[in-house]
Amino acid sequence: MQRTKTTPPASGGAQSGERLMWLTHQRVFYAGLLGAAAERTMGGHGVYVSPAGAPPNRLRIGGGAWQTGELLVVPPQVPHRVESAHPLIFNLLIESESVDPARLPGFMQHCGPVDAPAFVQRMRDAHTHLLAASGRQSFDGFDFDRLFFGEALAPREIDARIRKVIDAINADPAAPTSAEDCAASVHLSFSRFLHLFKQETGMAFRAFRAWKRARSLLRYVRQTSTLTDIALDTGYPDSTHFSHSIRQVYGLKPSDIVAGSRRLALHDAAGGYRQ
């Protein structure tokens, strides 16, 4: 693999002290730069909120018309594009296998702009609350769901065999895990495993694995490693596969994601706090 240099972030934009990301295995809260993102396809339930006083964000689902709103909701695996007139955007991601989609809050069971002012205010308040707490070693004392939703989200009931596979992928997204190996590990035929996996998670196995690998990049955005090293650490065979996969998921080049995260306070439940 050829070593890749990152480029410096653009000047101006949101104050660096406002930018943070809280990352756990099942949740992500991001308050930071959006950049000139192309179409993206995320693997979790996505929510976008504009900061107080900022113009509404714009959303386009696939090739549809642009829509605007303070609160935009996008289900898992839905190709979309988001634009923000303000440098700062709030983005919440809830892993699809972790929650029962039928028991999510009503506003999250839609796709597109949603009118839910109480949740918008709660998300903005949560950002302010977390900013005040930044500088601690972690956010371990906070309950993610209660901070953003006021209560724990209902978990998804998943077959124990599929749960075992999910846990293994979450524990090591970079592992060269094949569907055949996973099927054998839980004593299912290949075809039965693929069918059951999609039935239980709402995602095809290959899409799920690709999402988890791309999601793991978030843990590396504040490290000093080269992009080549990050690609290898996250399980990609070369920089071409790495760049293509990341752009499909986030709509941005890996170098732009890393560059835009240099002044991001990262609170990683697995790896501690980095500022």
Side-chain angles (χ1 to χ4, degrees):
M1 290 175 58
Q2 183 179 1
R3 298 208 169 251
T4 308
K5 294 182 179 179
T6 60
T7 55
S11 59
Q15 295 294 319
S16 60
E18 296 178 305
R19 304 178 203 166
L20 64 89
M21 180 162 60
W22 185 9
L23 179 64
T24 76
H25 274 311
Q26 298 182 341
R27 309 283 189 266
V28 180
F29 173 65
Y30 173 76
L33 306 177
L34 176 64
E39 186 174 84
R40 50 175 54 188
T41 305
M42 314 291 262
H45 297 272
V47 173
Y48 299 92
V49 168
S50 54
N57 296 319
R58 300 209 311 154
L59 172 71
R60 184 170 69 182
I61 302 295
W66 284 98
Q67 306 173 76
T68 62
E70 286 188 316
L71 170 60
L72 306 173
V73 177
V74 183
Q77 295 296 301
V78 173
H80 64 282
R81 184 171 178 179
V82 176
E83 289 186 351
S84 173
H86 192 278
L88 192 69
I89 192 169
F90 302 151
N91 180 209
L92 195 64
L93 275 173
I94 307 296
E95 295 302 292
S96 61
E97 80 278 6
S98 71
V99 289
D100 183 343
R103 297 168 65 193
L104 283 171
F107 71 87
M108 288 193 67
Q109 299 188 36
H110 296 273
C111 181
V114 180
D115 184 26
F119 174 76
V120 169
Q121 188 58 52
R122 179 180 286 275
M123 196 154 168
R124 291 169 177 167
D125 290 345
H127 174 241
T128 301
H129 192 56
L130 294 175
L131 281 180
S134 283
R136 302 179 183 182
Q137 291 302 305
S138 71
F139 286 166
D140 288 346
F142 296 104
D143 184 299
F144 198 110
D145 286 0
R146 292 193 180 279
L147 184 61
F148 288 98
F149 298 99
E151 61 182 355
L153 298 180
R156 188 169 192 151
E157 297 296 329
I158 292 182
D159 183 281
R161 295 163 295 184
I162 301 303
R163 176 60 67 186
K164 177 181 177 181
V165 171
I166 289 171
D167 291 345
I169 293 173
N170 280 330
D172 187 6
T177 307
S178 71
E180 291 86 352
D181 289 342
C182 290
S185 71
V186 293
H187 310 291
L188 290 171
S189 70
F190 179 59
S191 60
R192 174 60 180 154
F193 169 75
L194 292 180
H195 175 80
L196 186 61
F197 190 94
K198 186 169 185 177
Q199 174 182 297
E200 293 293 296
T201 66
M203 292 176 65
F205 174 82
R206 186 173 181 179
F208 182 90
R209 185 185 58 186
W211 159 243
K212 293 297 184 178
R213 186 166 290 177
R215 186 189 190 277
S216 71
L217 168 66
L218 301 178
R219 300 193 180 279
Y220 293 84
V221 295
R222 289 302 317 278
Q223 294 193 8
T224 57
S225 307
T226 66
L227 288 179
T228 299
D229 291 336
I230 292 174
L232 293 172
D233 288 343
T234 49
Y236 293 97
D238 54 56
S239 58
T240 300
H241 284 85
F242 178 52
S243 180
H244 176 72
S245 296
I246 295 303
R247 291 185 73 170
Q248 273 196 317
V249 170
Y250 298 107
L252 294 164
K253 296 185 293 185
S255 58
D256 291 338
I257 294 174
V258 172
S261 302
R262 287 180 178 168
R263 298 185 180 183
L264 181 78
L266 174 61
H267 299 261
D268 183 353
Y273 169 71
R274 290 188 290 279
Q275 189 173 30

